[in-house]
mmCIF file of all heavy atoms in Angstrom:
data_model
loop_
_atom_site.group_PDB
_atom_site.id
_atom_site.type_symbol
_atom_site.label_atom_id
_atom_site.label_comp_id
_atom_site.label_asym_id
_atom_site.label_seq_id
_atom_site.Cartn_x
_atom_site.Cartn_y
_atom_site.Cartn_z
ATOM 1 N N LEU A 1372 57.802 122.640 27.667
ATOM 2 C CA LEU A 1372 56.566 121.875 27.706
ATOM 3 C C LEU A 1372 56.304 121.180 26.378
ATOM 4 O O LEU A 1372 56.614 121.724 25.323
ATOM 5 C CB LEU A 1372 55.374 122.806 28.011
ATOM 6 C CG LEU A 1372 55.304 123.415 29.410
ATOM 7 C CD1 LEU A 1372 54.152 124.407 29.466
ATOM 8 C CD2 LEU A 1372 55.125 122.333 30.454
ATOM 9 N N PRO A 1373 55.722 119.972 26.407
ATOM 10 C CA PRO A 1373 55.287 119.336 25.160
ATOM 11 C C PRO A 1373 54.251 120.222 24.471
ATOM 12 O O PRO A 1373 53.522 120.984 25.126
ATOM 13 C CB PRO A 1373 54.662 118.017 25.638
ATOM 14 C CG PRO A 1373 55.274 117.769 26.983
ATOM 15 C CD PRO A 1373 55.500 119.122 27.585
ATOM 16 N N PHE A 1374 54.158 120.118 23.161
ATOM 17 C CA PHE A 1374 53.273 120.967 22.367
ATOM 18 C C PHE A 1374 51.833 120.922 22.874
ATOM 19 O O PHE A 1374 51.211 121.966 23.120
ATOM 20 C CB PHE A 1374 53.331 120.541 20.896
ATOM 21 C CG PHE A 1374 52.288 121.205 20.038
ATOM 22 C CD1 PHE A 1374 52.394 122.547 19.702
ATOM 23 C CD2 PHE A 1374 51.192 120.484 19.578
ATOM 24 C CE1 PHE A 1374 51.419 123.156 18.915
ATOM 25 C CE2 PHE A 1374 50.220 121.089 18.790
ATOM 26 C CZ PHE A 1374 50.343 122.431 18.456
ATOM 27 N N GLU A 1375 51.292 119.717 23.047
ATOM 28 C CA GLU A 1375 49.885 119.611 23.445
ATOM 29 C C GLU A 1375 49.651 120.177 24.834
ATOM 30 O O GLU A 1375 48.598 120.788 25.094
ATOM 31 C CB GLU A 1375 49.403 118.153 23.365
ATOM 32 C CG GLU A 1375 49.204 117.670 21.945
ATOM 33 C CD GLU A 1375 48.169 116.553 21.844
ATOM 34 O OE1 GLU A 1375 47.428 116.331 22.818
ATOM 35 O OE2 GLU A 1375 48.102 115.930 20.788
ATOM 36 N N GLU A 1376 50.599 120.006 25.735
ATOM 37 C CA GLU A 1376 50.443 120.555 27.082
ATOM 38 C C GLU A 1376 50.416 122.080 27.044
ATOM 39 O O GLU A 1376 49.630 122.726 27.745
ATOM 40 C CB GLU A 1376 51.565 120.072 27.994
ATOM 41 C CG GLU A 1376 51.364 120.452 29.454
ATOM 42 C CD GLU A 1376 52.404 119.844 30.376
ATOM 43 O OE1 GLU A 1376 53.110 118.906 29.947
ATOM 44 O OE2 GLU A 1376 52.510 120.314 31.523
ATOM 45 N N GLU A 1377 51.280 122.653 26.208
ATOM 46 C CA GLU A 1377 51.286 124.111 26.055
ATOM 47 C C GLU A 1377 49.955 124.606 25.501
ATOM 48 O O GLU A 1377 49.396 125.603 25.974
ATOM 49 C CB GLU A 1377 52.425 124.534 25.130
ATOM 50 C CG GLU A 1377 52.560 126.043 24.996
ATOM 51 C CD GLU A 1377 53.797 126.453 24.227
ATOM 52 O OE1 GLU A 1377 54.792 125.714 24.222
ATOM 53 O OE2 GLU A 1377 53.756 127.549 23.629
ATOM 54 N N MET A 1378 49.435 123.903 24.506
ATOM 55 C CA MET A 1378 48.156 124.285 23.914
ATOM 56 C C MET A 1378 47.010 124.158 24.916
ATOM 57 O O MET A 1378 46.120 125.005 24.978
ATOM 58 C CB MET A 1378 47.866 123.420 22.681
ATOM 59 C CG MET A 1378 48.818 123.622 21.503
ATOM 60 S SD MET A 1378 48.696 125.257 20.731
ATOM 61 C CE MET A 1378 50.085 126.104 21.504
ATOM 62 N N GLU A 1379 47.038 123.101 25.716
ATOM 63 C CA GLU A 1379 45.989 122.896 26.714
ATOM 64 C C GLU A 1379 46.020 124.002 27.774
ATOM 65 O O GLU A 1379 44.969 124.444 28.262
ATOM 66 C CB GLU A 1379 46.131 121.520 27.374
ATOM 67 C CG GLU A 1379 45.797 120.342 26.462
ATOM 68 C CD GLU A 1379 44.331 120.316 26.042
ATOM 69 O OE1 GLU A 1379 43.478 120.808 26.816
ATOM 70 O OE2 GLU A 1379 44.032 119.816 24.945
ATOM 71 N N LEU A 1380 47.212 124.459 28.130
ATOM 72 C CA LEU A 1380 47.324 125.549 29.090
ATOM 73 C C LEU A 1380 46.760 126.845 28.499
ATOM 74 O O LEU A 1380 46.120 127.634 29.209
ATOM 75 C CB LEU A 1380 48.786 125.740 29.501
ATOM 76 C CG LEU A 1380 49.344 124.701 30.461
ATOM 77 C CD1 LEU A 1380 50.856 124.857 30.607
ATOM 78 C CD2 LEU A 1380 48.675 124.809 31.834
ATOM 79 N N ASP A 1381 46.994 127.061 27.209
ATOM 80 C CA ASP A 1381 46.426 128.247 26.567
ATOM 81 C C ASP A 1381 44.907 128.172 26.526
ATOM 82 O O ASP A 1381 44.213 129.172 26.739
ATOM 83 C CB ASP A 1381 46.986 128.398 25.141
ATOM 84 C CG ASP A 1381 48.409 128.955 25.124
ATOM 85 O OD1 ASP A 1381 48.821 129.551 26.140
ATOM 86 O OD2 ASP A 1381 49.100 128.804 24.111
ATOM 87 N N LEU A 1382 44.378 126.983 26.257
ATOM 88 C CA LEU A 1382 42.919 126.807 26.285
ATOM 89 C C LEU A 1382 42.371 127.047 27.685
ATOM 90 O O LEU A 1382 41.306 127.665 27.854
ATOM 91 C CB LEU A 1382 42.541 125.398 25.808
ATOM 92 C CG LEU A 1382 42.589 125.116 24.315
ATOM 93 C CD1 LEU A 1382 42.191 123.667 24.043
ATOM 94 C CD2 LEU A 1382 41.665 126.048 23.532
ATOM 95 N N ALA A 1383 43.091 126.564 28.691
ATOM 96 C CA ALA A 1383 42.659 126.766 30.073
ATOM 97 C C ALA A 1383 42.609 128.247 30.409
ATOM 98 O O ALA A 1383 41.686 128.711 31.097
ATOM 99 C CB ALA A 1383 43.596 126.035 31.026
ATOM 100 N N TYR A 1384 43.578 129.008 29.911
ATOM 101 C CA TYR A 1384 43.570 130.449 30.170
ATOM 102 C C TYR A 1384 42.340 131.095 29.535
ATOM 103 O O TYR A 1384 41.673 131.932 30.167
ATOM 104 C CB TYR A 1384 44.830 131.122 29.633
ATOM 105 C CG TYR A 1384 44.705 132.629 29.676
ATOM 106 C CD1 TYR A 1384 44.822 133.311 30.890
ATOM 107 C CD2 TYR A 1384 44.398 133.366 28.537
ATOM 108 C CE1 TYR A 1384 44.659 134.680 30.965
ATOM 109 C CE2 TYR A 1384 44.231 134.739 28.602
ATOM 110 C CZ TYR A 1384 44.355 135.394 29.809
ATOM 111 O OH TYR A 1384 44.169 136.754 29.874
ATOM 112 N N ILE A 1385 42.042 130.725 28.304
ATOM 113 C CA ILE A 1385 40.887 131.298 27.606
ATOM 114 C C ILE A 1385 39.608 131.062 28.406
ATOM 115 O O ILE A 1385 38.739 131.933 28.509
ATOM 116 C CB ILE A 1385 40.768 130.709 26.188
ATOM 117 C CG1 ILE A 1385 41.959 131.163 25.333
ATOM 118 C CG2 ILE A 1385 39.453 131.122 25.527
ATOM 119 C CD1 ILE A 1385 42.046 130.469 23.980
ATOM 120 N N GLN A 1386 39.499 129.876 28.992
ATOM 121 C CA GLN A 1386 38.299 129.525 29.756
ATOM 122 C C GLN A 1386 38.243 130.226 31.107
ATOM 123 O O GLN A 1386 37.159 130.517 31.616
ATOM 124 C CB GLN A 1386 38.242 128.007 29.946
ATOM 125 C CG GLN A 1386 38.070 127.238 28.648
ATOM 126 C CD GLN A 1386 38.381 125.755 28.774
ATOM 127 O OE1 GLN A 1386 38.755 125.289 29.847
ATOM 128 N NE2 GLN A 1386 38.230 125.017 27.689
ATOM 129 N N LYS A 1387 39.411 130.514 31.694
ATOM 130 C CA LYS A 1387 39.454 131.067 33.050
ATOM 131 C C LYS A 1387 39.810 132.550 33.097
ATOM 132 O O LYS A 1387 39.897 133.118 34.188
ATOM 133 C CB LYS A 1387 40.486 130.308 33.890
ATOM 134 C CG LYS A 1387 40.193 128.830 34.076
ATOM 135 C CD LYS A 1387 41.315 128.174 34.868
ATOM 136 C CE LYS A 1387 41.058 126.685 35.074
ATOM 137 N NZ LYS A 1387 42.157 126.036 35.825
ATOM 138 N N LYS A 1388 40.026 133.171 31.953
ATOM 139 C CA LYS A 1388 40.590 134.523 31.965
ATOM 140 C C LYS A 1388 39.712 135.499 32.746
ATOM 141 O O LYS A 1388 38.490 135.509 32.634
ATOM 142 C CB LYS A 1388 40.835 135.028 30.548
ATOM 143 C CG LYS A 1388 39.620 135.193 29.673
ATOM 144 C CD LYS A 1388 40.054 135.696 28.310
ATOM 145 C CE LYS A 1388 38.842 135.833 27.380
ATOM 146 N NZ LYS A 1388 39.230 136.330 26.063
ATOM 147 N N SER A 1389 40.391 136.282 33.562
ATOM 148 C CA SER A 1389 39.751 137.297 34.384
ATOM 149 C C SER A 1389 40.851 138.244 34.833
ATOM 150 O O SER A 1389 42.044 137.955 34.676
ATOM 151 C CB SER A 1389 39.071 136.670 35.601
ATOM 152 O OG SER A 1389 40.042 136.115 36.474
ATOM 153 N N LEU A 1390 40.475 139.363 35.404
ATOM 154 C CA LEU A 1390 41.469 140.313 35.889
ATOM 155 C C LEU A 1390 42.312 139.687 36.990
ATOM 156 O O LEU A 1390 43.532 139.860 37.028
ATOM 157 C CB LEU A 1390 40.780 141.578 36.405
ATOM 158 C CG LEU A 1390 41.707 142.723 36.821
ATOM 159 C CD1 LEU A 1390 42.542 143.196 35.640
ATOM 160 C CD2 LEU A 1390 40.900 143.874 37.404
ATOM 161 N N ALA A 1391 41.680 138.913 37.864
ATOM 162 C CA ALA A 1391 42.413 138.261 38.959
ATOM 163 C C ALA A 1391 43.426 137.259 38.405
ATOM 164 O O ALA A 1391 44.564 137.171 38.897
ATOM 165 C CB ALA A 1391 41.434 137.561 39.899
ATOM 166 N N THR A 1392 43.020 136.494 37.390
ATOM 167 C CA THR A 1392 43.933 135.530 36.764
ATOM 168 C C THR A 1392 45.118 136.243 36.131
ATOM 169 O O THR A 1392 46.268 135.826 36.293
ATOM 170 C CB THR A 1392 43.195 134.705 35.704
ATOM 171 O OG1 THR A 1392 42.119 133.992 36.321
ATOM 172 C CG2 THR A 1392 44.127 133.712 35.034
ATOM 173 N N ASP A 1393 44.841 137.344 35.422
ATOM 174 C CA ASP A 1393 45.910 138.106 34.787
ATOM 175 C C ASP A 1393 46.895 138.644 35.822
ATOM 176 O O ASP A 1393 48.116 138.556 35.631
ATOM 177 C CB ASP A 1393 45.335 139.266 33.976
ATOM 178 C CG ASP A 1393 44.764 138.813 32.638
ATOM 179 O OD1 ASP A 1393 44.669 137.592 32.415
ATOM 180 O OD2 ASP A 1393 44.419 139.685 31.815
ATOM 181 N N LEU A 1394 46.385 139.180 36.901
ATOM 182 C CA LEU A 1394 47.260 139.726 37.939
ATOM 183 C C LEU A 1394 48.127 138.639 38.569
ATOM 184 O O LEU A 1394 49.313 138.860 38.839
ATOM 185 C CB LEU A 1394 46.419 140.418 39.013
ATOM 186 C CG LEU A 1394 45.772 141.749 38.600
ATOM 187 C CD1 LEU A 1394 44.798 142.221 39.675
ATOM 188 C CD2 LEU A 1394 46.831 142.817 38.342
ATOM 189 N N ALA A 1395 47.545 137.465 38.772
ATOM 190 C CA ALA A 1395 48.298 136.351 39.351
ATOM 191 C C ALA A 1395 49.403 135.901 38.399
ATOM 192 O O ALA A 1395 50.534 135.612 38.822
ATOM 193 C CB ALA A 1395 47.357 135.191 39.662
ATOM 194 N N ILE A 1396 49.098 135.832 37.101
ATOM 195 C CA ILE A 1396 50.098 135.418 36.108
ATOM 196 C C ILE A 1396 51.212 136.453 36.011
ATOM 197 O O ILE A 1396 52.400 136.106 35.931
ATOM 198 C CB ILE A 1396 49.434 135.187 34.734
ATOM 199 C CG1 ILE A 1396 48.533 133.955 34.789
ATOM 200 C CG2 ILE A 1396 50.483 135.032 33.637
ATOM 201 C CD1 ILE A 1396 47.698 133.727 33.537
ATOM 202 N N ILE A 1397 50.857 137.739 36.022
ATOM 203 C CA ILE A 1397 51.860 138.801 35.957
ATOM 204 C C ILE A 1397 52.775 138.744 37.177
ATOM 205 O O ILE A 1397 54.005 138.855 37.057
ATOM 206 C CB ILE A 1397 51.174 140.182 35.845
ATOM 207 C CG1 ILE A 1397 50.518 140.331 34.472
ATOM 208 C CG2 ILE A 1397 52.195 141.309 36.054
ATOM 209 C CD1 ILE A 1397 49.606 141.535 34.363
ATOM 210 N N ALA A 1398 52.196 138.571 38.355
ATOM 211 C CA ALA A 1398 52.999 138.490 39.581
ATOM 212 C C ALA A 1398 53.959 137.308 39.523
ATOM 213 O O ALA A 1398 55.138 137.432 39.890
ATOM 214 C CB ALA A 1398 52.072 138.376 40.786
ATOM 215 N N LYS A 1399 53.483 136.154 39.056
ATOM 216 C CA LYS A 1399 54.327 134.967 38.958
ATOM 217 C C LYS A 1399 55.428 135.170 37.921
ATOM 218 O O LYS A 1399 56.584 134.764 38.130
ATOM 219 C CB LYS A 1399 53.460 133.757 38.572
ATOM 220 C CG LYS A 1399 54.228 132.458 38.400
ATOM 221 C CD LYS A 1399 54.793 131.934 39.705
ATOM 222 C CE LYS A 1399 55.379 130.545 39.517
ATOM 223 N NZ LYS A 1399 55.999 130.042 40.767
ATOM 224 N N THR A 1400 55.085 135.830 36.818
ATOM 225 C CA THR A 1400 56.070 136.105 35.770
ATOM 226 C C THR A 1400 57.190 136.983 36.299
ATOM 227 O O THR A 1400 58.378 136.708 36.065
ATOM 228 C CB THR A 1400 55.394 136.789 34.563
ATOM 229 O OG1 THR A 1400 54.372 135.943 34.033
ATOM 230 C CG2 THR A 1400 56.413 137.092 33.465
ATOM 231 N N ILE A 1401 56.840 138.050 37.008
ATOM 232 C CA ILE A 1401 57.845 138.956 37.573
ATOM 233 C C ILE A 1401 58.738 138.213 38.555
ATOM 234 O O ILE A 1401 59.967 138.378 38.554
ATOM 235 C CB ILE A 1401 57.160 140.159 38.254
ATOM 236 C CG1 ILE A 1401 56.472 141.029 37.200
ATOM 237 C CG2 ILE A 1401 58.181 140.984 39.035
ATOM 238 C CD1 ILE A 1401 55.605 142.124 37.779
#
Side-chain angles (χ1 to χ4, degrees):
L1372 291 174
F1374 171 72
E1375 287 207 14
E1376 188 174 345
E1377 184 173 333
M1378 294 293 99
E1379 290 295 331
L1380 285 170
D1381 283 341
L1382 283 180
Y1384 170 75
I1385 293 171
Q1386 295 165 359
K1387 298 177 180 179
K1388 63 180 178 179
S1389 66
L1390 186 61
T1392 300
D1393 282 9
L1394 288 171
I1396 291 173
I1397 290 169
K1399 178 68 172 177
T1400 300
I1401 293 172

